[in-house]
Structures are given as C-alpha cells and as structure tokens.
Amino acid sequence: MSTGKLDRKAVSTLPIPEADANVNDDVVWTSTEERLKAVWEQVLESPACITPATDFFHAGGTSLPLLSLRDKIRTQFGVELRLLDLFEASVLSSMARRIEGQIDTLDVIDWDEETRLPPSLVEMDSNMLQRISHS
C-alpha cells in the first residue's frame, strides 16, 4: 500500500538529463557568474547544464549543499551572504548580483508597505479602541 509520500532516496538516485552541449554557446556570462558557476559545480554532486538562468534547487541543490555554497562564496568572493539571501536569489544570475551587492529590487518586498493598513481601517481601529477605553 502506497502512502503517497515521495521517496526522496529514490528520487536522488535518478540521473539529471544531460543538456545539449551547444546550448551554452550563445550565453553571455559576467565574471562573477563564471566564478559562481565554478563554485556551484564544486557543491552540486552532479551539476546539470548550468546557465545564468539556472536555479540552484532545480540543478540538484538542497538546503545542505546551500550551506556549503555559502561557505565557498565567503571563501571565494569574500562576501558574507545570509541563507535567506541565497534562498531568495537561487538563480545563478540573481545570486551573482547579490554577491556584487546589486540586490535585484524586483525581488525585494517592502513588508512595511505590504502590511500597512488602509487609512479607513486605521481610523476604524482607533475608534474601536477609544470606545473600549471609555467603557
């Protein structure tokens, strides 16, 4: 009887399909991306065809290799990135921009703005608090 759970050990033994060798011919790499690609290849057990658009987790990475990646980035680039930074910028080109200090503003969420209550709700909340305090 199947439990419906994913057999992670079985999945991890599946080979990652090889990409066409000519796919990378037209890709333009920054120097940081090239250096970062070499680091990814050290960390990932069987790296697939890596391009600037490759996601670390789609290339076989998990949270454990991500720890190793963070350490190697610190050593190779002299940059301290938080794990959250690496999770948020898991695509090679985005991660390279983080290393260069150019955080992609489209990926950054302004939580103060996102969670700010509309003025009408703030006023309603204030009125309710006043009624409670006068009771």
Side-chain angles (χ1 to χ4, degrees), residues 41-132:
E41 289 172 339
Q42 293 171 13
V43 171
L44 296 171
E45 289 182 19
S46 55
C49 178
I50 297 173
T51 70
T54 301
D55 186 290
F56 182 78
F57 299 105
H58 294 176
T62 63
S63 56
L64 288 177
L66 194 66
L67 292 170
S68 178
L69 178 65
R70 181 182 62 170
D71 293 340
K72 289 189 181 298
I73 287 173
R74 183 183 314 119
T75 302
Q76 298 284 328
F77 294 93
V79 173
E80 183 73 39
L81 293 178
R82 300 172 305 157
L83 283 176
L84 179 61
D85 292 327
L86 298 176
F87 274 110
E88 288 179 346
S90 60
V91 173
L92 189 133
S93 61
S94 296
M95 196 176 290
R97 284 194 302 276
R98 294 280 172 116
I99 290 169
E100 294 167 347
Q102 299 172 0
I103 295 174
D104 191 348
T105 56
L106 295 177
D107 293 339
V108 176
I109 297 173
D110 181 353
W111 287 108
D112 289 333
E113 179 65 29
E114 291 293 324
T115 58
R116 183 173 292 124
L117 291 173
S120 60
L121 286 178
V122 172
E123 187 178 313
M124 184 179 4
D125 189 39
S126 177
N127 290 337
M128 288 173 60
L129 287 174
Q130 287 176 358
R131 279 189 241 148
I132 292 172

Side-chain angles (χ1 to χ4, degrees), residues 15-31:
I16 297 175
E18 293 294 322
D20 184 8
N22 296 327
V23 170
N24 285 337
D25 290 346
D26 296 332
V27 176
V28 177
W29 296 82
T30 66
S31 62

